[in-house]
Amino acid sequence: MLEIKNLRVSVLDIDDSEILKGIDLTVKTGEVHAIMGPNGSGKSTLANVLMGRTEYVITEGDILYDGESIIDLLPEKRAHLGMFLAFQYPAEIPGVRPWQFLKAALDAKADSRGEEKMSIRDFSKLFDEKVEAVGINPQLVKRSLNEGFSGGEKKRNEMLQLEVLQPELAILDETDSGLDVDALRIVAHGVNSMRSPERSFIIVTHYQRLLNYIKPDVVHILVEGKIVKTGGPELALDVEKDGYKQYTSVGASA
Amino acid sequence: MTLAAPPTSVEKYAAAFESLSDSGTPDWLIATRLQAWANFSELGIPTARRGNELWKYTNLRPLADAGFEYGQIGPVSLDQIKSAGPWDDAWDTVVVVDGNFSAQLSSLNGTPGLTAGSLGEAIAAGTDNLESQFASLAGRENYAFTALNTAFAADGAYIGIAADTRLTTPVHVVFVTSDPTSSRATYPRLLISASSNSSLTIVESYINLSESSQLTVPVTEVFSDHDSQIRHYRIQIENEKSFHIGTARVNQKAGSSFTSTSFATGALIGRNDVHTQLDEPGAECTLHGLYMTSGQQQQDQEISTTHARPNCTSHQFYKGILSGKSHAVFSGKVVVERDAQKSVANQKDLNLMLSRGARIDAKPSLEIFADDVKCAHGATAGHVDRDTLFYLRSRGVDEETAKAILIRGFADEMLDEFEPAALREFVERTTDDRIATLLAESDTLGTV
């Protein structure tokens, strides 16, 4: 599904700004991977680069999606392929209603794949179902996208979009940050209910606690732009117990 | 201060003024016109910008240099009017072609309590208060364009609403510039008189059936008697070679409410100059507007409100979307006089800049002479946010569509203010068309 090969990434137009220093990672169809790391390790950068954010420049390596390189594709093209990024800080968009925006997104995807667009009636039905499933206040989605939403409501809204767009690879960028336990459960429920042999997830997180609710197949520890350790779910528990220090250059030499 | 009038800019209008017929015109109106012409002759087209606060940001040189003929041309068909602007068969509609009322094109439903039709006829008929109202708010002050309009005042539209009459169906006044091959000047005039405890929705639209450069200098005077409610909409969609220098003067009595929402996307140089005088306690005005500019357009909002008496409220809220090498001005002024305690006044102007070549001059200002007041003002100029754009694109919406969605989202708050359904539909459609043009002239501002 996704292969990241020796990926090196810097910030555009800034010298000596290398953030990712040779990442190798393979996510197979149906797998859930967790990428854990301390602040500043580059995990959010990785999530954004996968989705095509162009403030970053790839200096070396490649990203393959279903065997094809996607590093020259625009963000919208990656979405059409089936990729999805749930944002750490979803943008507030005044005047844009979630319904209208999601319909536009689905239409664009259908267009690009040469599929028939969903009728307004069918879409409406789907939307209402998903609103209920995600437990988002129906009044809220009639208003501007994310405007005045609480942190939890924004995350629910990200889950709503995930449910409606039904991506094949969903990347969650610190979706758990700033969430209370109830909201965490909602995110976890969203992911778990969508988990299937045809869908993969990459869950980027600082803390282990989300992984209490979503059991990953593989856990990677990302430190200082490199994956320093890969293992099973038990790896997350080690982090919980001993922190990241054991993996940092300072910590390791200490 | 008297500005030295560039003689050439006055001379261009002199022959037309001399040619005006006085026959059938009441003496008081002839006197008013002569006085207005004398004022204009002294003032001329204001091209000096230095030291001229009213025209500091808008260069009228192209207007002063151009020449315009005067006189009605026509003919105009109803279909042309319907397809060019907002329209609803259910509305009472007054059509004014090149400044003159057209009975043939107007459709008046004989609504009880409503007097709607020719201003010239209303004057000739000696309509109550008209002699004292006419030019009492606009035309006698030292302002070149109200003077110019008043000098040529003969006809236009008159809308009167009787006391305690409350109308929900809009009255539409369409000012049409016909389709001449040459450049013409027209001086539309609208007088609205809302008696006590009346309620009125009025749509004032300016459409241009010509593709050549025209000069439109409209003047609207509004008299809101006590406890009246007026919901006013102003649509300016003239062609992009034309000059539209509009003025509205509003006088509000106790407990009256005046809400005006402007939609200005037309003209090469467009100006909407609105002054509301909150003349008695408890009056409230809300002035809203959306302006969109592209190419070399200039759009100038000159908005002022005077709180003369206590317990009045005013809101000024405008939004602009600018692209190409266009230029917009928001000059908002609120004066709270010494006697006007417990005044509440808000001013806001928000702009979305789509190109590096576009320019906004936003100048909200408050002059407060009372001590117990609540006033706030603010202005911003921003561009399409990179993070927001990336967010939309990451969900599969392409860059152009994402930008269009964001721009429309920015405009929507203002579009929501256009309540009559046919009007709302018209401004939405026109906005979507305009967004396409604006986007075509946008540059790298705010790309991912």
Side-chain angles (χ1 to χ4, degrees), chain B residues 275-290:
Chain B
H275 174 71
T276 48
Q277 177 81 14
L278 305 175
D279 221 17
E280 290 185 356
E284 178 173 355
C285 78
T286 301
L287 306 173
H288 280 155
L290 175 66

Side-chain angles (χ1 to χ4, degrees), chain A residues 48 51 53-55 74-76 79-80 84-85 87 91 93-97 101 105 108 146 158 161 165, chain B residues 385-388 390-399 401 405-406 408-410 412-413 416 424 447-448:
Chain A
N48 278 274
M51 205 63 220
R53 184 119 194 179
T54 53
E55 278 127 88
L74 299 171
E76 55 267 34
H80 299 162
F84 178 92
L85 174 64
F87 284 66
I93 312 184
V96 177
R97 289 164 185 87
F101 157 58
N146 290 327
E158 293 292 278
Q161 298 189 35
L165 294 171
Chain B
D385 179 63
R386 290 156 65 107
D387 291 341
T388 309
F390 178 63
Y391 182 73
L392 294 185
R393 294 178 70 186
S394 78
R395 303 291 144 92
V397 179
D398 69 77
E399 185 175 351
T401 309
I405 287 175
L406 293 176
R408 177 59 194 274
F410 178 81
D412 252 19
E413 185 179 11
D416 282 345
R424 170 67 185 261
T447 43
V448 174

